[in-house]
Amino acid sequence: MRREILFGCLLLMFGSLSSIALGAFVGINIGTDLLNLPSPEQVVAILRSHQITHVRLFDADNHLLSALSDTEIEVMISVTNEEVLRIGQSPAAAAAWINKNVAAFVPSTNITAIAVGSEVLSTIPHAAPVLVPAMKNLHKSLVSSNLNSQVKVSTPLSMDLIPKPFPPSAATFNSSWESIISGVLDFLKSTNSFFMLNAYPYFGYVQSSGIFPIEYALFQPLSPVKQIVDPNTLFHYDSMFDAMVDATYNSISAYNLSVIPIVVTETGWPWAGGANEQDATVENAETFNNNLIKRVLNGSGPPSQPTIPMNTYIYELFNEDKKPGPLSEKSYGVYFSNGSSVYTFSLDTSGGATANASGGFCVAKKGADTSSLQDGLNWACGPGQANCSAIQSGQPCYMPDTIENHASYAYNDYYQKMRSVGATCDFGGTAMITTVDPSNGSCIFTGSTNSSIGGTLTPAFGPEGPPGNASLGQLPDIVVLLLATLVLLIV
C-alpha cells in the first residue's frame, strides 16, 4: 500500500514538474510598424535562428500565420482595437474572425491564445462596454469549432489600471472600471484562461521621480539600505517587475476569485531616447532584458504566488521606426530588421553566456584609464598584429566610437589569434576575460561561434532543449527538495 501511495505521489509530482518545465517561458512581441519590414518568411527565419518559441502578434496577419506553420512556435494572435467594437456587437463577426484567422490555420500553425484588443480600457475607453461581449463571442465561436481547449481568450490590460501599485498588498484596480474588470475576471475564470498584463518597470522607474533606485527596475542587487519591503506582508521585492505582478494578483484577489494566472504580455526597456529620456540606453536595455530572462526562466513566481511562473513576452522583436511619439517609442526592438542583435542576450541562468571554444573573449575593463587603453590599442593594432580594419570609420565595429569599444575589439582579435602560443589577456591591467560574447549588430568579434543571421549570440526565448527536458538546476528549489524526499521515502 505504501508503495502505491508513493507511486501516486510521484505521478502527481511529475505532472507538476512537466507543467513547470513547459510553463516558464519568455516570448516576444512582433510589431510591424517599421520601414524595412522583413517578409513573413524572413521573420520566421529570424525567429528560428534565435530559437524563439513563443510570439505575440498585434493582429492576425494571415501571411505571417502561414509562414509560422509547421514551426511549433506558440502563437498569440490579436483582435485589433479597431475590430473590438464590431466583434463585441456581432456574434457573426466573431465567428467570421475565428474562421478566417484561427480555424483556417490550426493545427499547422500553433495558435494558442487570442488577445482581444490592446489596453482597451486605457486607450479606447468608449469600447469598454463591448470588451467582455467581444471575448464571449470569440470564445463561443471557438467552442463551435471545437478549438476552445487549445486557444484561450483574454485581453491585455495596463498597469495604469492600478493607481497605487506599491505596496503590492494594498494595490487595487481603479474603481471606475470595477464592473468591466469584474466581467473580464469572471470570463477568465469560467474559461480557464489567464490574465494578460502589460507591465513596464521603465515607466514605473521614470515616473517614480527617484523614489525607487534604478537597480530595482533593472533586477540588479539592492544594497542593505535600499531594500524594498511591503510593510503589510514583509515580503522583500528584489525587482519592480515582481512587485508589479504581485500588485496585480492582489488587485484580482479583491474580487473574491481563486487565483487567475498572470502572463505578462508586454514588458521591455528602450535602448535609445531623446534628450529628456536619459535612462533609455543600450546598457540599461541590455541589463533589463538579460536579467528579465534569467528571472522568468528560473520558474518561480512573485512573493505572493511563488509557484506560478511569470511567463512573459518582451516588447519587441524589431524597432518600429514608423511609430509616432518620442524616440524611445521607436527603440524597444531587440533585433534589427536583418536579424542582427541590437545588444547581447544571455539566457544562461547561471550568469554566464555562450563562450567561444578558446575559453572566452578578451575585452577592455570598464573604467580603465583612457591613456592606458590607447596604449594597449596602439600596441594590439601595431606590434601585436591584430586585424583592426573592422574598427575603422564606416566599418561594422567602429560604433560606438570609444576607446573602450575599439580596444575591446583589438584586444580580443589579438588574444584569439595568439592565445595558442601563450598570449595572455592583460594589456597592462586594462583587459579582462569575459564569457559574454561582445558581438552586437553586424559587429562580429573574432572567436564568436555564431554565424547565423546577424552573426551574434543566439538567444533562445524559451526552455533550453525540448519542452519538458528541464534539468534539476532549472527547477525551483522546492521541487528538487520534494524529489529528494520521495527518493528517500522509497529507499
Side-chain angles (χ1 to χ4, degrees), residues 253-322:
S253 70
Y255 288 79
N256 296 317
L257 294 167
S258 55
V259 176
I260 297 173
I262 292 171
V263 171
V264 178
T265 37
E266 285 182 34
T267 193
W269 197 287
W271 59 268
N276 62 338
E277 298 174 306
Q278 60 185 7
D279 299 300
T281 66
V282 169
E283 182 178 4
N284 285 347
E286 180 177 3
T287 300
F288 177 83
N289 279 327
N290 280 325
N291 287 340
L292 168 73
I293 291 166
K294 292 176 185 177
R295 173 65 188 92
V296 172
L297 292 186
N298 76 19
S300 65
S304 78
Q305 304 293 337
T307 62
I308 303 178
M310 295 189 293
N311 299 327
T312 297
Y313 293 82
I314 290 176
Y315 184 82
E316 58 182 329
L317 187 66
F318 301 123
N319 297 297
E320 294 189 272
D321 47 25
K322 289 170 60 179

Side-chain angles (χ1 to χ4, degrees), residues 129-140:
V130 298
L131 177 58
V132 175
M135 297 168 72
K136 289 181 176 179
N137 287 342
L138 290 166
H139 178 71
K140 288 176 182 176

Side-chain angles (χ1 to χ4, degrees), residues 54 74 76 78 126 151 227 254 346 372 431 441:
H54 294 71
E74 291 197 18
M76 178 187 296
S78 299
H126 65 278
V151 183
Q227 295 296 304
S346 171
S372 298

Side-chain angles (χ1 to χ4, degrees), residues 142-374:
L142 288 171
V143 171
S144 298
S145 301
N146 198 29
L147 294 171
N148 56 298
S149 60
Q150 176 185 337
V151 183
K152 297 302 178 182
V153 177
S154 187
T155 183
L157 297 178
S158 169
M159 279 298 300
D160 292 344
L161 297 179
I162 303 175
K164 296 180 179 179
F166 197 88
S169 62
T172 58
F173 288 119
N174 187 326
S175 59
S176 62
W177 294 114
E178 183 174 351
S179 62
I180 302 296
I181 292 175
S182 178
V184 169
L185 296 177
D186 286 340
F187 170 83
L188 298 180
K189 196 64 188 175
S190 66
T191 60
N192 195 30
S193 188
F194 51 89
F195 188 97
M196 295 180 176
L197 173 68
N198 291 353
Y200 288 86
Y202 170 73
F203 292 119
Y205 169 71
V206 171
Q207 294 166 6
S208 72
S209 302
I211 294 176
F212 296 111
I214 193 167
E215 293 86 355
Y216 179 54
L218 296 175
F219 301 88
Q220 293 177 318
L222 299 173
S223 69
V225 297
K226 292 183 178 179
Q227 295 296 304
I228 309 297
V229 180
D230 187 313
N232 302 316
T233 61
L234 299 184
F235 285 146
H236 284 246
Y237 286 92
D238 296 325
S239 75
M240 186 179 290
F241 183 81
D242 279 68
M244 285 178 162
V245 175
D246 249 359
T248 309
Y249 272 121
N250 192 77
S251 299
I252 293 172
S253 70
Y255 288 79
N256 296 317
L257 294 167
S258 55
V259 176
I260 297 173
I262 292 171
V263 171
V264 178
T265 37
E266 285 182 34
T267 193
W269 197 287
W271 59 268
N276 62 338
E277 298 174 306
Q278 60 185 7
D279 299 300
T281 66
V282 169
E283 182 178 4
N284 285 347
E286 180 177 3
T287 300
F288 177 83
N289 279 327
N290 280 325
N291 287 340
L292 168 73
I293 291 166
K294 292 176 185 177
R295 173 65 188 92
V296 172
L297 292 186
N298 76 19
S300 65
S304 78
Q305 304 293 337
T307 62
I308 303 178
M310 295 189 293
N311 299 327
T312 297
Y313 293 82
I314 290 176
Y315 184 82
E316 58 182 329
L317 187 66
F318 301 123
N319 297 297
E320 294 189 272
D321 47 25
K322 289 170 60 179
K323 290 188 71 172
L327 177 60
S328 61
E329 284 294 312
K330 313 171 195 288
S331 306
Y332 278 90
V334 296
Y335 299 114
F336 295 108
S337 57
N338 67 353
S340 62
S341 303
V342 176
Y343 44 77
T344 302
F345 275 103
S346 171
L347 284 177
D348 185 345
T349 55
S350 64
T354 302
N356 62 4
S358 64
F361 300 88
C362 181
V363 297
K365 287 182 179 177
K366 290 190 179 297
D369 177 69
T370 302
S371 61
S372 298
L373 284 174
Q374 186 66 61

